[in-house]
Amino acid sequence: MEAIRNFRSVGRKIVCVGRNYGAHAAELGNPVPKKPMLFMKATSSYITEGQAIQASEPLASLRPTP
């Protein structure tokens, strides 16, 4: 648990998996890929609990994934 608390200061990258199940792909209106999509988040995207998410234009809105 200590490593999770310190992740923002010691983490180097976050590798994410997208559209890895049918319901998520359907929600986005996309076909289910044969293999999950992988993408990375830059360390500049890290925030702590309670911090606001800042989006650059032209993003009109953000919809967090539960």
Side-chain angles (χ1 to χ4, degrees):
M1 200 61 175
E2 187 66 25
I4 292 172
R5 276 191 223 107
N6 293 327
F7 185 79
R8 187 168 188 255
S9 62
V10 298
R12 299 289 179 249
K13 63 183 171 184
I14 297 177
V15 178
C16 308
V17 180
R19 295 189 209 158
N20 54 328
Y21 57 95
H24 187 208
E27 176 186 29
L28 299 171
N30 296 313
V32 178
K34 294 192 185 304
K35 295 182 180 178
M37 298 173 58
L38 299 177
F39 59 97
M40 294 181 68
K41 289 293 197 176
T43 56
S44 61
S45 69
Y46 296 175
I47 61 172
T48 58
E49 186 174 344
Q51 278 188 299
I53 297 173
Q54 298 178 3
S56 303
E57 291 300 325
L59 296 175
S61 66
L62 295 173
R63 192 188 78 181
T65 304

